[in-house]
Amino acid sequence: MRAEIAEQPAVLDRILTEGLEEVRRVAERIRHAAPRFVVLAARGTSDHAALYAKYLIEVLLGLPAGLASPSTTTVYGAPGRFADVLYVAVSQSGESPDLVESLRAAREGGALTLAVTNAASSPLAEGAAFHLDVLAGQERSVAATKTYTAQLLTLYLLVDALRGGDRALGADLPGLAARTLELAAHPAVEVAEHLHHAAWIVCTGRGYSYATAREAALKLVETAYLPAHAYSGADLMHGPLAMLDSGTPVVAVVGEGAGGQALDPVVERLRSMEADVLIAGPGGALPTVTGVPEEVAPVIEIMPLQLLAAELAAVRAIDPDQPRGLAKVTLTR
Amino acid sequence: MRAEIAEQPAVLDRILTEGLEEVRRVAERIRHAAPRFVVLAARGTSDHAALYAKYLIEVLLGLPAGLASPSTTTVYGAPGRFADVLYVAVSQSGESPDLVESLRAAREGGALTLAVTNAASSPLAEGAAFHLDVLAGQERSVAATKTYTAQLLTLYLLVDALRGGDRALGADLPGLAARTLELAAHPAVEVAEHLHHAAWIVCTGRGYSYATAREAALKLVETAYLPAHAYSGADLMHGPLAMLDSGTPVVAVVGEGAGGQALDPVVERLRSMEADVLIAGPGGALPTVTGVPEEVAPVIEIMPLQLLAAELAAVRAIDPDQPRGLAKVTLTR
């Protein structure tokens, strides 16, 4: 897991150099079809990449987007009316049967289909009209890290190409990633030691960073066996706040843009309740470099949290590469 | 909270007798507009009603549906292209500023807008083209119970009317609710005592019942301060399974239909890991009556879990009507 976390700057660079041409080609085809609604289908870590893409699509393209509930197809056999819909399935392995079946049903219902995977010869990639390979190379750790940030960058480049952007925001990411991994290495160990005996933790973020909070929680759960809840900053205020004791650890993902600003009152409230607030972001306990544009910040801001998950597993004497009860490819229907 | 839980059969009956005409009238207008995509916006408990509606819309109407991310409007000011979109905001109070603003933006972007609230003179109700009152009467407890099941039934009746159904499945709900509340009263106390010292709990369900698992977790969190995670049965297998110790309590919502059947392998896996599996549904530790059609089962199957939350609060000497840190109306932006 640590080795794959460290590979991320190189993977991001590979996408920018080797993957961009295909992203532009696919974007051109999608623009030609002019979809009016986007549905994103994914499970687990990939679902957080899909959530990030949902925000990008709504904010940058102005198109309504939703996350699929694959079981409406696989459990209830719903026939869908998918004309004018772009259906995007995101999966590291491209093998999850429920995604393969949902994508097939969407295609039969008239959707334009796109698979974003790390496995070009997978059933999902082969079943879709278009495919984008995230070029992360083989991922051995059960906990997905490099495939996640590779999905994020690929999806960002796709949305940027769809709006006729210049991809400028993505270009610096390999360097920003390398500097963040270096900057966060020691703090992640310190926070891991601080959380050694934590019974549970809350992760929160708003806007683009909500995806980061969700992914951080899943990493802590699956690698360090720490029960971790993720809530958007808004949802946290609607109920879950009640369960926080003074001292409850809360990871708050606070970036430099509007999403980070929108989280400020939540952080203030948490501090007034004497929660143990750990900021992930520039200048925080789990630091990232400054100057990362908000639209691409999720690619960077997850990195200190990946390191935290790996270090907390180490502190707790857990092997993050062999989580109990999990397989690399999960065959849910 | 207990008094409002007990009112639910009467509220369901009121919707069926006094609310149906308006539901049909609104459905007729929506059918005339023939929307092709549905976006649902809500926070907290209402978000779980919206999730249930998403499944109904996809399965029964075959229309793609998504849950809104209000912050794309309120934080990032995204202009949306909402032609052919039905935008449904669900809120008990109708006052949440982010929902009011998101609905306004969707309406300006061309959406047909519908507010489903328990407050006919609220800003949300007044800002939408159509409004449905869920007729639950004033709700005093901070933890929403009767407004939740009222939202579920109202949304079911709407979708049923949109497909030209005969509303037959809803007619028996008041009686089924009354019998379930009676049947589950004592078991809820027993399970609450069993969970007195639980440190955390997982809730799971699939299909329509996934909304129930989410709402059960929120009720346990906000009334009994029990950290509770909800995962769909499929997502649980994709990572969170690793954090379950033998003895971890898991509430599994297992109804009589396809969603319950789809959860069977998950329950089997949980039992093989020696998790402390508590079934919510017919014949379970948190029982409902049998014979509830799956499409409307969420209206009934949450009731033993509402009782559990109230009883667990009592066992833990917490006043569920005064959760710390929460107000009845949450004004997030």
Side-chain angles (χ1 to χ4, degrees), chain B residues 80-307:
Chain B
R81 291 186 275 157
F82 281 94
D84 291 332
V85 170
L86 172 64
Y87 194 95
V88 183
V90 187
S91 167
Q92 168 258 319
S93 71
E95 290 186 22
S96 193
D98 52 356
L99 295 185
V100 173
E101 190 176 332
S102 298
L103 182 128
R104 185 194 49 69
R107 193 170 183 174
E108 283 172 6
L112 184 66
T113 53
L114 166 65
V116 178
T117 81
N118 195 37
S121 60
S122 62
L124 197 64
E126 287 167 1
F130 304 121
H131 174 249
L132 287 175
D133 188 331
V134 304
L135 300 171
Q138 193 191 355
E139 188 170 61
R140 289 167 192 229
S141 173
V142 171
T145 54
K146 65 176 182 172
T147 54
Y148 175 65
T149 49
Q151 289 168 345
L152 297 183
L153 177 55
T154 302
L155 289 163
Y156 169 74
L157 292 171
L158 176 70
V159 172
D160 188 61
L162 285 171
R163 68 164 170 169
D166 60 2
R167 304 169 307 281
L169 297 189
D172 294 334
L173 287 173
L176 295 166
R179 284 164 49 212
T180 294
L181 287 171
E182 198 179 316
L183 184 68
H186 184 66
V189 175
E190 283 188 334
V191 174
E193 283 165 1
H194 175 68
L195 293 176
H196 187 164
H197 300 292
W200 59 287
I201 193 166
V202 169
C203 301
T204 188
R206 282 207 75 178
Y208 295 113
S209 296
Y210 176 41
T212 306
R214 296 267 299 264
E215 172 60 7
L218 181 56
K219 284 286 105 49
L220 291 167
V221 159
E222 67 182 1
T223 64
Y225 308 163
L226 177 61
H229 306 233
Y231 298 100
S232 85
D235 285 323
L236 186 59
M237 309 297 270
H238 273 263
L241 209 66
M243 74 176 164
L244 302 184
D245 280 311
S246 105
T248 302
V250 180
V251 169
V253 186
V254 184
E256 292 173 270
Q261 279 166 32
L263 200 63
D264 281 344
V266 178
V267 169
E268 200 174 309
R269 180 73 180 278
L270 290 166
R271 286 199 169 123
S272 75
M273 296 172 66
E274 297 183 353
D276 178 14
V277 180
L278 301 158
I279 301 290
L286 294 157
T288 61
V289 292
T290 56
V292 186
E294 179 170 21
E295 290 88 341
V296 291
V299 179
I300 301 300
E301 67 197 6
I302 191 61
M303 293 182 184
L305 297 156
Q306 294 170 334
L307 290 169

Side-chain angles (χ1 to χ4, degrees), chain A residues 183-197:
Chain A
L183 184 67
H186 184 66
V189 174
E190 283 188 334
V191 174
E193 282 164 1
H194 175 69
L195 293 176
H196 186 165
H197 300 291

Side-chain angles (χ1 to χ4, degrees), chain A residues 35-37 39 42-45 47 51 54-55 58-76 78-85 96 98 199-201 206-209 218 221-223 225-229 231-245 257-260 262 269 273 294 323-327 329-333, chain B residues 35-39 42-45 47 51 54-55 58-72 74-76 78-85 96 98 199-201 206-209 218 221-223 225-229 231-245 257-260 262 269 273 294 323-327 329-333:
Chain A
R36 297 176 52 205
F37 196 77
V39 173
R43 293 285 187 194
T45 289
D47 202 31
L51 181 63
K54 176 179 191 291
Y55 279 83
E58 293 185 357
V59 175
L60 302 183
L61 304 182
L63 288 181
L67 299 178
S69 306
S71 70
T72 59
T73 304
T74 60
V75 175
Y76 300 110
R81 291 186 274 154
F82 281 93
D84 290 332
V85 170
S96 194
D98 53 355
W200 59 288
I201 194 166
R206 280 206 77 177
Y208 295 114
S209 295
L218 181 56
V221 159
E222 67 183 0
T223 64
Y225 307 163
L226 177 61
H229 307 233
Y231 298 100
S232 85
D235 284 324
L236 186 59
M237 309 297 270
H238 272 262
L241 209 67
M243 74 176 165
L244 302 185
D245 280 311
R269 180 72 181 277
M273 296 172 66
E294 180 170 19
R324 60 188 177 200
L326 297 186
V329 178
T330 311
L331 301 176
T332 49
R333 290 195 69 86
Chain B
R36 296 173 54 202
F37 321 107
V38 183
V39 173
R43 292 285 188 197
T45 289
D47 203 31
L51 181 61
K54 177 179 190 290
Y55 279 82
E58 292 185 357
V59 174
L60 302 183
L61 304 181
L63 289 181
L67 300 179
S69 307
S71 70
T72 58
T74 61
V75 175
Y76 300 110
R81 291 186 275 157
F82 281 94
D84 291 332
V85 170
S96 193
D98 52 356
W200 59 287
I201 193 166
R206 282 207 75 178
Y208 295 113
S209 296
L218 181 56
V221 159
E222 67 182 1
T223 64
Y225 308 163
L226 177 61
H229 306 233
Y231 298 100
S232 85
D235 285 323
L236 186 59
M237 309 297 270
H238 273 263
L241 209 66
M243 74 176 164
L244 302 184
D245 280 311
R269 180 73 180 278
M273 296 172 66
E294 179 170 21
R324 60 188 178 202
L326 296 188
V329 178
T330 312
L331 301 177
T332 50
R333 289 198 68 86

